[in-house]
Amino acid sequence: MGFSTDAIHAGQIPDPTTGAVITPIYQTSTYAQDALGVNKGYEYGRTHNLTREALEKNIAALEKGKYGIAFASGLAAIQSILGLVKSGDHIIATENVYGGTYRLMELIFKDYGLEFSWVDTSNVVKIRKAVRPNTKLIYIETPTNPMLRLTDLRTVKGICKKYDLISVVDNTFMTPYFQKPLLFGIDVVLHSTTKYINGHSDVIGGIVITNNPKIHERIRYLQNAIGAVPSPFDCWLTLRATKTLAVRMKQHNENAKRIAKFLSENPKVKKVIYPGLRNHPHYSLAKRQMSGYGGMITADFGDLKSAKKVLNRVKVFTLGESLGGVESLISHPASMTHASIPKREREKLGITEGLIRFSVGIEDVEDLIADIEHALK
Ligand code: P1T
């Protein structure tokens, strides 16, 4: 089936009791058992929930994966992935990931004996050099948050095959509408469903998708054992949202392309980073492994003073953390999403005080451009 058909139908069958077309919210913590040891396959809400199962099947289908395992947040999904390795194991991770991902790995899990190397994974030589005898997993964010650098998925898959490593891709920025890492042979895909997948800025959630039965078994075990599960209502809202994922992503992409061009032509903007611009260092890779460029733009306004003016003056864009909603958001990575990264590290990555991140929504693009134009005057 095509993407939109799967988005609307996959994982959802009319409710067997009433024929309700929309999967009900199974708002229950437990299930009546027919007799001791006899049940309908549902025992306890943390372990089984039909609304959650529908969501898991739906997003797995969009990623061309067999298994989806949903979590209460993107970070809970990432934590479950760290359960694929053990104390003493080494992980190679993209140096510029979401600040919370860095915090979880470097400031929490390092203390539990995991080793991390933060690598520019857009450079294959650097990935190869980072492999150690105890390396078990490569964790990729592409495009990265917020510098929008890309990693070649085919190359990562090749390295993982050679050294018998697990490959993981955070596909939050692209969504399966524009990028399907599993089709490149990547083992595990994850999302903060909080972002584009839900797309309405009203749910925090995460999901892990894989075709590998062993990885599925382990992550499923951890989902229940750790217990960071999403509520049935959140699953229902997210399931409702995936139905329009294709139309939303098309519009995010169209609007962002127009705004990236507008920003590029404005002399007050020092640098515009958008994978769909020809001057992006990974433009040709973007064309090869993505079918669109997404709705995220990062731009450097030179210094904090200039950035502050833009951040404080916009009216249609809302100043706030997060991204991927239908409404446009604007943020300051250095003091917001990436504040937990030490200043020196941050600046090495290019996350300077003058940097602004735009999450371009699906409003009328003329209004968005007028809003930025006004803020820049
Ligand atoms: O917020 P949560 O649902 O736990 O997801 C964490 C996460 C994981 N991966 C990526 C690429 C992300 O961008 C995020 C969360 N990011 C923001 C809140 C932000 O404003 O960038």
Side-chain angles (χ1 to χ4, degrees), residues 141-157:
E141 212 178 273
T142 181
T144 63
N145 181 358
M147 300 310 289
L148 303 174
R149 293 178 66 78
L150 307 190
T151 294
D152 190 328
L153 297 176
R154 235 177 228 114
T155 306
V156 169
K157 141 95 193 198

PDB file of all heavy atoms in Angstrom, residues 141-157:
ATOM      1  N   GLU A 141      21.961  10.392  14.451  1.00  0.00           N
ATOM      2  CA  GLU A 141      20.855  11.327  14.239  1.00  0.00           C
ATOM      3  C   GLU A 141      21.116  11.950  12.874  1.00  0.00           C
ATOM      4  O   GLU A 141      22.198  12.507  12.646  1.00  0.00           O
ATOM      5  CB  GLU A 141      20.882  12.395  15.339  1.00  0.00           C
ATOM      6  CG  GLU A 141      19.509  12.916  15.717  1.00  0.00           C
ATOM      7  CD  GLU A 141      19.580  13.942  16.849  1.00  0.00           C
ATOM      8  OE1 GLU A 141      19.570  13.541  18.025  1.00  0.00           O
ATOM      9  OE2 GLU A 141      19.652  15.143  16.539  1.00  0.00           O
ATOM     10  N   THR A 142      20.181  11.852  11.935  1.00  0.00           N
ATOM     11  CA  THR A 142      20.357  12.466  10.609  1.00  0.00           C
ATOM     12  C   THR A 142      19.006  12.879  10.060  1.00  0.00           C
ATOM     13  O   THR A 142      18.131  12.032   9.944  1.00  0.00           O
ATOM     14  CB  THR A 142      21.106  11.533   9.627  1.00  0.00           C
ATOM     15  OG1 THR A 142      21.245  12.216   8.364  1.00  0.00           O
ATOM     16  CG2 THR A 142      20.444  10.194   9.384  1.00  0.00           C
ATOM     17  N   PRO A 143      18.792  14.172   9.771  1.00  0.00           N
ATOM     18  CA  PRO A 143      19.679  15.300  10.027  1.00  0.00           C
ATOM     19  C   PRO A 143      19.798  15.536  11.536  1.00  0.00           C
ATOM     20  O   PRO A 143      18.899  15.199  12.293  1.00  0.00           O
ATOM     21  CB  PRO A 143      18.947  16.474   9.367  1.00  0.00           C
ATOM     22  CG  PRO A 143      17.877  15.899   8.524  1.00  0.00           C
ATOM     23  CD  PRO A 143      17.540  14.571   9.088  1.00  0.00           C
ATOM     24  N   THR A 144      20.923  16.168  11.924  1.00  0.00           N
ATOM     25  CA  THR A 144      21.137  16.387  13.348  1.00  0.00           C
ATOM     26  C   THR A 144      20.356  17.606  13.847  1.00  0.00           C
ATOM     27  O   THR A 144      19.993  18.487  13.077  1.00  0.00           O
ATOM     28  CB  THR A 144      22.639  16.611  13.646  1.00  0.00           C
ATOM     29  OG1 THR A 144      23.063  17.809  12.969  1.00  0.00           O
ATOM     30  CG2 THR A 144      23.478  15.443  13.185  1.00  0.00           C
ATOM     31  N   ASN A 145      20.168  17.607  15.137  1.00  0.00           N
ATOM     32  CA  ASN A 145      19.468  18.682  15.836  1.00  0.00           C
ATOM     33  C   ASN A 145      20.503  19.521  16.591  1.00  0.00           C
ATOM     34  O   ASN A 145      21.118  19.011  17.519  1.00  0.00           O
ATOM     35  CB  ASN A 145      18.464  18.039  16.809  1.00  0.00           C
ATOM     36  CG  ASN A 145      17.657  19.049  17.593  1.00  0.00           C
ATOM     37  OD1 ASN A 145      17.848  20.243  17.467  1.00  0.00           O
ATOM     38  ND2 ASN A 145      16.761  18.548  18.431  1.00  0.00           N
ATOM     39  N   PRO A 146      20.761  20.767  16.279  1.00  0.00           N
ATOM     40  CA  PRO A 146      20.049  21.605  15.317  1.00  0.00           C
ATOM     41  C   PRO A 146      20.866  21.916  14.050  1.00  0.00           C
ATOM     42  O   PRO A 146      20.428  22.713  13.238  1.00  0.00           O
ATOM     43  CB  PRO A 146      19.899  22.907  16.122  1.00  0.00           C
ATOM     44  CG  PRO A 146      21.209  23.013  16.851  1.00  0.00           C
ATOM     45  CD  PRO A 146      21.647  21.592  17.141  1.00  0.00           C
ATOM     46  N   MET A 147      22.061  21.313  13.885  1.00  0.00           N
ATOM     47  CA  MET A 147      22.955  21.744  12.802  1.00  0.00           C
ATOM     48  C   MET A 147      22.596  21.133  11.446  1.00  0.00           C
ATOM     49  O   MET A 147      23.187  21.495  10.426  1.00  0.00           O
ATOM     50  CB  MET A 147      24.433  21.454  13.166  1.00  0.00           C
ATOM     51  CG  MET A 147      24.915  22.166  14.437  1.00  0.00           C
ATOM     52  SD  MET A 147      24.544  23.932  14.469  1.00  0.00           S
ATOM     53  CE  MET A 147      25.671  24.543  13.239  1.00  0.00           C
ATOM     54  N   LEU A 148      21.656  20.178  11.452  1.00  0.00           N
ATOM     55  CA  LEU A 148      21.121  19.595  10.215  1.00  0.00           C
ATOM     56  C   LEU A 148      22.209  18.976   9.339  1.00  0.00           C
ATOM     57  O   LEU A 148      22.188  19.095   8.114  1.00  0.00           O
ATOM     58  CB  LEU A 148      20.315  20.651   9.436  1.00  0.00           C
ATOM     59  CG  LEU A 148      19.163  21.288  10.235  1.00  0.00           C
ATOM     60  CD1 LEU A 148      18.527  22.425   9.444  1.00  0.00           C
ATOM     61  CD2 LEU A 148      18.110  20.253  10.609  1.00  0.00           C
ATOM     62  N   ARG A 149      23.173  18.313   9.988  1.00  0.00           N
ATOM     63  CA  ARG A 149      24.193  17.580   9.236  1.00  0.00           C
ATOM     64  C   ARG A 149      23.671  16.172   8.951  1.00  0.00           C
ATOM     65  O   ARG A 149      22.914  15.618   9.743  1.00  0.00           O
ATOM     66  CB  ARG A 149      25.498  17.519  10.041  1.00  0.00           C
ATOM     67  CG  ARG A 149      26.129  18.905  10.205  1.00  0.00           C
ATOM     68  CD  ARG A 149      27.381  18.853  11.044  1.00  0.00           C
ATOM     69  NE  ARG A 149      28.461  18.099  10.405  1.00  0.00           N
ATOM     70  CZ  ARG A 149      29.227  18.586   9.435  1.00  0.00           C
ATOM     71  NH1 ARG A 149      29.047  19.795   8.997  1.00  0.00           N
ATOM     72  NH2 ARG A 149      30.195  17.843   8.920  1.00  0.00           N
ATOM     73  N   LEU A 150      24.082  15.607   7.836  1.00  0.00           N
ATOM     74  CA  LEU A 150      23.560  14.295   7.443  1.00  0.00           C
ATOM     75  C   LEU A 150      24.625  13.210   7.547  1.00  0.00           C
ATOM     76  O   LEU A 150      25.810  13.481   7.389  1.00  0.00           O
ATOM     77  CB  LEU A 150      23.044  14.321   6.006  1.00  0.00           C
ATOM     78  CG  LEU A 150      22.024  15.399   5.613  1.00  0.00           C
ATOM     79  CD1 LEU A 150      21.465  15.089   4.232  1.00  0.00           C
ATOM     80  CD2 LEU A 150      20.898  15.503   6.605  1.00  0.00           C
ATOM     81  N   THR A 151      24.161  11.997   7.786  1.00  0.00           N
ATOM     82  CA  THR A 151      25.040  10.826   7.787  1.00  0.00           C
ATOM     83  C   THR A 151      24.554   9.866   6.713  1.00  0.00           C
ATOM     84  O   THR A 151      23.346   9.654   6.568  1.00  0.00           O
ATOM     85  CB  THR A 151      24.998  10.137   9.177  1.00  0.00           C
ATOM     86  OG1 THR A 151      25.576  11.025  10.137  1.00  0.00           O
ATOM     87  CG2 THR A 151      25.781   8.837   9.184  1.00  0.00           C
ATOM     88  N   ASP A 152      25.496   9.288   5.989  1.00  0.00           N
ATOM     89  CA  ASP A 152      25.166   8.358   4.910  1.00  0.00           C
ATOM     90  C   ASP A 152      24.734   7.005   5.511  1.00  0.00           C
ATOM     91  O   ASP A 152      25.559   6.286   6.095  1.00  0.00           O
ATOM     92  CB  ASP A 152      26.405   8.201   4.015  1.00  0.00           C
ATOM     93  CG  ASP A 152      26.092   7.441   2.739  1.00  0.00           C
ATOM     94  OD1 ASP A 152      25.213   6.547   2.763  1.00  0.00           O
ATOM     95  OD2 ASP A 152      26.727   7.741   1.713  1.00  0.00           O
ATOM     96  N   LEU A 153      23.474   6.678   5.373  1.00  0.00           N
ATOM     97  CA  LEU A 153      22.930   5.473   6.013  1.00  0.00           C
ATOM     98  C   LEU A 153      23.522   4.194   5.419  1.00  0.00           C
ATOM     99  O   LEU A 153      23.748   3.218   6.126  1.00  0.00           O
ATOM    100  CB  LEU A 153      21.402   5.459   5.886  1.00  0.00           C
ATOM    101  CG  LEU A 153      20.685   6.617   6.602  1.00  0.00           C
ATOM    102  CD1 LEU A 153      19.190   6.566   6.340  1.00  0.00           C
ATOM    103  CD2 LEU A 153      20.952   6.568   8.104  1.00  0.00           C
ATOM    104  N   ARG A 154      23.780   4.215   4.118  1.00  0.00           N
ATOM    105  CA  ARG A 154      24.339   3.031   3.465  1.00  0.00           C
ATOM    106  C   ARG A 154      25.736   2.715   4.022  1.00  0.00           C
ATOM    107  O   ARG A 154      26.066   1.561   4.284  1.00  0.00           O
ATOM    108  CB  ARG A 154      24.438   3.288   1.956  1.00  0.00           C
ATOM    109  CG  ARG A 154      23.724   2.229   1.197  1.00  0.00           C
ATOM    110  CD  ARG A 154      23.696   2.403  -0.284  1.00  0.00           C
ATOM    111  NE  ARG A 154      22.329   2.213  -0.712  1.00  0.00           N
ATOM    112  CZ  ARG A 154      21.571   3.156  -1.230  1.00  0.00           C
ATOM    113  NH1 ARG A 154      22.043   4.354  -1.422  1.00  0.00           N
ATOM    114  NH2 ARG A 154      20.328   2.895  -1.566  1.00  0.00           N
ATOM    115  N   THR A 155      26.505   3.763   4.223  1.00  0.00           N
ATOM    116  CA  THR A 155      27.861   3.586   4.761  1.00  0.00           C
ATOM    117  C   THR A 155      27.805   3.028   6.182  1.00  0.00           C
ATOM    118  O   THR A 155      28.564   2.119   6.533  1.00  0.00           O
ATOM    119  CB  THR A 155      28.578   4.961   4.787  1.00  0.00           C
ATOM    120  OG1 THR A 155      28.513   5.499   3.481  1.00  0.00           O
ATOM    121  CG2 THR A 155      30.000   4.836   5.224  1.00  0.00           C
ATOM    122  N   VAL A 156      26.899   3.575   6.983  1.00  0.00           N
ATOM    123  CA  VAL A 156      26.775   3.111   8.372  1.00  0.00           C
ATOM    124  C   VAL A 156      26.404   1.641   8.399  1.00  0.00           C
ATOM    125  O   VAL A 156      26.970   0.841   9.149  1.00  0.00           O
ATOM    126  CB  VAL A 156      25.719   3.954   9.132  1.00  0.00           C
ATOM    127  CG1 VAL A 156      25.393   3.331  10.474  1.00  0.00           C
ATOM    128  CG2 VAL A 156      26.227   5.379   9.314  1.00  0.00           C
ATOM    129  N   LYS A 157      25.483   1.284   7.535  1.00  0.00           N
ATOM    130  CA  LYS A 157      25.057  -0.124   7.466  1.00  0.00           C
ATOM    131  C   LYS A 157      26.263  -1.014   7.108  1.00  0.00           C
ATOM    132  O   LYS A 157      26.457  -2.085   7.694  1.00  0.00           O
ATOM    133  CB  LYS A 157      23.922  -0.227   6.444  1.00  0.00           C
ATOM    134  CG  LYS A 157      23.924  -1.420   5.558  1.00  0.00           C
ATOM    135  CD  LYS A 157      23.050  -2.488   6.102  1.00  0.00           C
ATOM    136  CE  LYS A 157      23.263  -3.759   5.446  1.00  0.00           C
ATOM    137  NZ  LYS A 157      22.885  -4.852   5.193  1.00  0.00           N
TER     138      LYS A 157
END
